[in-house]
Amino acid sequence: MEIREATADDIDAIRSIAQRSLESTYTEFLDEDTVADAIDQWYGDSFDDVLEDDHSLILVVENDGDVVGFSQNDLIGQRYDTGRILWLHIDPDHRGGGTGVRLLVRTRERLLDEGADHVQGLVLEDNEGGNEFYADNGFERAGQREVEIGDETFTENVYAEDEIGEEGWGAVDELENDGETIYVSYGEAARGAKAPFYSAYKSEGRQDLYGWFCGNCDSLENTMDTMGRIECNNCGNRRKATRWDASYL
């Protein structure tokens, strides 16, 4: 799995994923015409300008050469210090397995890297699954706003990150590794040359450390020396000994 910035070559895939995602998730409260209006409004001819905007960030998830998801984000505020996740869509055929959580994590990291002091997630009030997704991954509802889709106006919930405490940011992903269930804590990260390494635990309560999860190639196969340097045996991602503050991620 690779998460990277979108290019103009990805527009058709992004448009298709958005349409399939909206049709599979939103049709209980959006009719077909409204979905069509939304696709034309957000991913039509003007989307080229969105990709080129200095304060816009579009990330795609690529799996075996195919784009299977994306997040659409921007930076707003007087100093562009608020990062907003406007949309996060995973193709319905590729949901499950933690793809959405990993895209959320990487999106959050990139927005912070781009200068955001805090990150918000936006989701339509009627999208029950989307609201649960943010609530389950370290965000809490902080307000509401109105959004126009075609000729209609809908209520959108605004989610903000919970305050980071001693346990770190509350996004935990459950993975299977050689028949064992491993819990990856995305709030406990160490900066790597290619992507962060995340702490992996044997239990959901995060008491027993299992090892490190490579954010570049999704591997748990790595080594750490006595100086705290980590190297992924699969992709060569490296973490040097550092005083990096993991709470930033």
Side-chain angles (χ1 to χ4, degrees):
M1 180 189 300
E2 179 186 2
I3 298 176
R4 57 171 175 80
E5 285 196 43
T7 70
D9 292 337
D10 298 314
I11 291 178
D12 287 344
I14 288 172
R15 181 184 178 94
S16 175
I17 290 167
Q19 182 166 353
R20 284 168 53 80
S21 178
L22 288 171
E23 288 176 347
S24 69
T25 306
Y26 291 77
T27 49
E28 291 184 3
F29 54 92
L30 298 180
D31 58 35
E32 291 183 3
D33 290 339
T34 302
V35 170
D37 287 341
I39 298 301
D40 289 337
Q41 177 179 332
W42 295 319
Y43 306 109
D45 294 337
S46 62
F47 192 63
D48 283 316
D49 296 331
V50 174
L51 279 176
E52 296 176 3
D53 191 323
D54 289 340
H55 303 295
S56 176
L57 175 68
I58 314 295
L59 299 180
V60 296
V61 181
E62 192 172 13
N63 193 7
D64 294 332
D66 295 324
V67 175
V68 300
F70 74 93
S71 67
Q72 181 176 351
N73 320 275
D74 64 8
L75 292 157
I76 62 170
Q78 189 172 4
R79 300 186 305 278
Y80 297 103
D81 57 354
T82 298
R84 299 191 304 178
I85 304 172
L86 304 174
W87 291 99
L88 193 153
H89 289 293
I90 303 297
D91 186 282
D93 290 340
H94 293 270
R95 292 176 182 171
T99 302
V101 175
R102 293 179 212 181
L103 178 57
L104 172 65
V105 169
R106 194 65 58 83
T107 298
R108 175 180 178 270
E109 291 169 356
R110 282 298 309 275
L111 288 170
L112 292 173
D113 284 342
E114 293 293 327
D117 290 335
H118 52 278
V119 175
Q120 296 177 347
L122 308 180
V123 60
L124 293 179
E125 181 182 36
D126 292 325
N127 180 1
E128 182 177 342
N131 283 271
E132 290 179 357
F133 175 75
Y134 279 107
D136 289 343
N137 289 290
F139 287 76
E140 60 181 4
R141 200 178 79 175
Q144 292 183 320
R145 69 170 198 161
E146 301 300 311
V147 60
E148 293 184 1
I149 304 177
D151 296 328
E152 298 186 62
T153 301
F154 296 87
T155 299
E156 198 168 47
N157 286 334
V158 179
Y159 282 84
E161 294 180 85
D162 290 340
E163 184 178 349
I164 297 177
E166 293 181 358
E167 295 184 352
W169 185 50
V172 178
D173 193 13
E174 183 177 319
L175 304 176
E176 291 295 324
N177 182 63
D178 294 333
E180 291 185 85
T181 301
I182 305 301
Y183 299 87
V184 179
S185 176
Y186 291 113
E188 303 171 55
R191 172 167 292 204
K194 298 180 180 180
F197 288 94
Y198 305 102
S199 298
Y201 291 90
K202 298 178 182 179
S203 64
E204 191 172 8
R206 292 181 276 175
Q207 285 89 21
D208 299 319
L209 185 67
Y210 178 89
W212 293 88
F213 180 77
C214 177
N216 185 58
C217 69
D218 299 344
S219 173
L220 286 158
E221 299 297 325
N222 50 69
T223 55
M224 176 187 286
D225 65 18
T226 57
M227 298 296 293
R229 291 174 293 216
I230 307 169
E231 181 170 357
C232 177
N233 298 332
N234 187 50
C235 70
N237 186 24
R238 294 181 179 179
R239 175 225 182 178
K240 297 180 179 179
T242 179
R243 291 180 178 270
W244 176 254
D245 181 6
S247 67
Y248 174 83
L249 297 174

